[in-house]
Amino acid sequence: MTNTTHLKIKESDQSEEEYLALVEIDKLIYPDYPSSVEDHKRRDKTREEQYLYRRVLLTGTDGKVLGCGSYGHTHWAHHPDRYFLDVLIKPAEWGQGYGKFLYNSLLADLMTHNPASIETECREDSERGIRFATERGFKLRTTEYSAKLDLAQFNPEPFDGLISSLIDEGYSFLDLDESQNQIPDFLKRYYDILVEIDKDVPWHESPTPEPFEVFAKKYELTLDQRIVESTINAVYEGRMIGLTQLYRDKNEPERVYTGMSGVVKEHRRKGVVTALKALSLGRAKANLPLQTGVTPAVYTENEANNPMFTINERLGFVRQPSFLFYTKELS
C-alpha cells in the first residue's frame, strides 16, 4: 500500500507561487498548450461567483508541489447538479498513488454537493489518464480533435478566388481595428454573434452563454493577445454575420491559437468561414515573423463531428492527439 501520510492538500491562495506551480504543471502535462501566470490570474479575476469552484495544490511535507486538482460547476454548459473534477500530477511523481489520493480527497468533498454527474478530461495519448478515468466509472462522451498548422507551409493563393467572389457578392472582411471603427456597438454585436454561433457547435451539453458584462471584462483583459490584422469579421449588407479569431501566446512566440470561427445560419455553406480563416492565416504568415523573428505554428481544436475540422484540414491543419472528455453519471 502506498504511503500517503506525508501528503498535504493546500488550498488556493492565488499567490504568485501558486500560479507559477500551475504553469509548470500545465507545461509538463500539456506541452503544446502551455499557460502563463497571466492566464491563470485572468481566469480567477473573471470567474463568476455563482458557480462553485475549488482549486488545491498537492504537496509533500517539505512543501514541494507534486500536482494540482480542481472541481466546480461546468459553467460553460451549466446545470446546477453537473460538475467537473480534474487532477494533474507531475510526470516525475506518477505511479506513487498521488493522483488517487488527490482524486479521492476532492471527490469526497464534491459528493457533499450531491452531483448528478462529474466530467473530466485527458488526451488520447495518455494511457495512464484514460485508465485512471475508466477505472473510476467515467465513460467517454466527446472527442475533440486537436490540429496544428505550420504557418511557414501555408499557401493562401488557392483561396484568393473564393475571397474575390465573396467580395463581388457583397461580403466585406474587416480586421479588428476596422470593425471597431465601422460596426455600430461593435462589442455587443461581436458578443451576440459568438453566442449565436456557439449554439450550433457540437458538444455533449448545451452551452451556457456568459453574461455580456463578464465577456466584456475578458475581452479587455485579452486585447493584447488578439492579433489585430488576423481577427477578422465578415459583414454583409451592413450587418456583421461571421468572425474568426487568432491569438498570440505572449510567452511562446512560436505558438498562435485560434478562437471561435463561424457564420450565422443563413450565410453558411457559401465558403465564408473558409475565406475568413484563409485571410486570417495569410496575414499572420506575412506579418507575425516581422514581429517575433519566427514563423509560428497555429493550434486549434474541434469536436469530432464539427464540420469546421474539415475546413481546417483543407487549410493545411494536421491532426494531433485528441482531447477526450469523460462523464460519470451518478443520479
Side-chain angles (χ1 to χ4, degrees), residues 34-177:
S35 62
S36 68
V37 169
E38 291 75 17
D39 292 333
H40 288 284
K41 286 182 177 179
R42 183 180 68 251
R43 290 169 195 150
D44 283 342
K45 285 179 183 177
T46 57
R47 207 176 300 283
E48 297 174 64
E49 293 183 359
Q50 71 269 31
Y51 297 136
L52 175 70
Y53 180 75
R54 181 190 179 201
R55 182 174 67 231
V56 301
L57 295 178
L58 180 69
T59 73
T61 52
D62 59 358
K64 178 185 175 183
V65 175
L66 306 170
C68 64
S70 61
Y71 69 73
H73 280 120
T74 52
H75 60 85
W76 52 90
H78 178 62
H79 183 286
D81 298 324
R82 296 190 182 278
Y83 298 83
F84 72 88
L85 193 162
D86 290 320
V87 170
L88 297 175
I89 302 297
K90 290 181 177 179
E93 311 297 341
W94 288 352
Q96 302 185 65
Y98 297 165
K100 180 179 179 181
F101 173 85
L102 183 54
Y103 171 83
N104 287 340
S105 174
L106 292 176
L107 180 64
D109 195 35
L110 177 56
M111 290 302 291
T112 65
H113 299 279
N114 299 313
S117 68
I118 305 172
E119 181 176 297
T120 193
E121 67 177 280
C122 67
R123 290 227 313 197
E124 68 175 348
D125 56 351
S126 174
E127 293 182 11
R128 181 181 293 273
I130 293 171
R131 185 170 65 250
F132 191 92
T134 56
E135 286 179 350
R136 284 157 182 79
F138 287 85
K139 298 186 182 302
L140 181 64
R141 288 291 302 277
T142 295
T143 298
E144 187 176 69
Y145 292 157
S146 179
K148 174 183 174 183
L149 171 67
D150 182 355
L151 262 184
Q153 304 302 317
F154 176 66
N155 180 12
E157 290 183 5
F159 306 97
D160 289 346
L162 170 64
I163 295 166
S164 295
S165 66
L166 287 170
I167 291 173
D168 290 342
E169 290 178 35
Y171 291 91
S172 57
F173 301 98
L174 308 179
D175 69 20
L176 187 56
D177 282 344

Side-chain angles (χ1 to χ4, degrees), residues 29-33 121-127 130 140 142-149 255 257 298-304 309 313 317-326:
I29 303 297
Y30 299 118
D32 290 341
Y33 294 85
E121 67 177 280
C122 67
R123 290 227 313 197
E124 68 175 348
D125 56 351
S126 174
E127 293 182 11
I130 293 171
L140 181 64
T142 295
T143 298
E144 187 176 69
Y145 292 157
S146 179
K148 174 183 174 183
L149 171 67
R255 299 175 188 274
Y257 300 97
V298 184
Y299 293 81
T300 190
E301 299 86 43
N302 303 110
E303 194 270 348
F309 183 72
E313 282 191 314
F317 282 85
V318 177
R319 277 278 304 271
Q320 306 295 304
S322 298
F323 289 92
L324 307 177
F325 292 82
Y326 290 84

Side-chain angles (χ1 to χ4, degrees), residues 51 74-79 194-210 260:
Y51 297 136
T74 52
H75 60 85
W76 52 90
H78 178 62
H79 183 286
L194 285 169
V195 171
E196 186 173 353
I197 292 171
D198 195 33
K199 290 177 182 177
D200 295 326
V201 175
W203 198 250
H204 56 261
E205 301 288 355
S206 299
T208 303
E210 62 189 0
M260 177 73 79

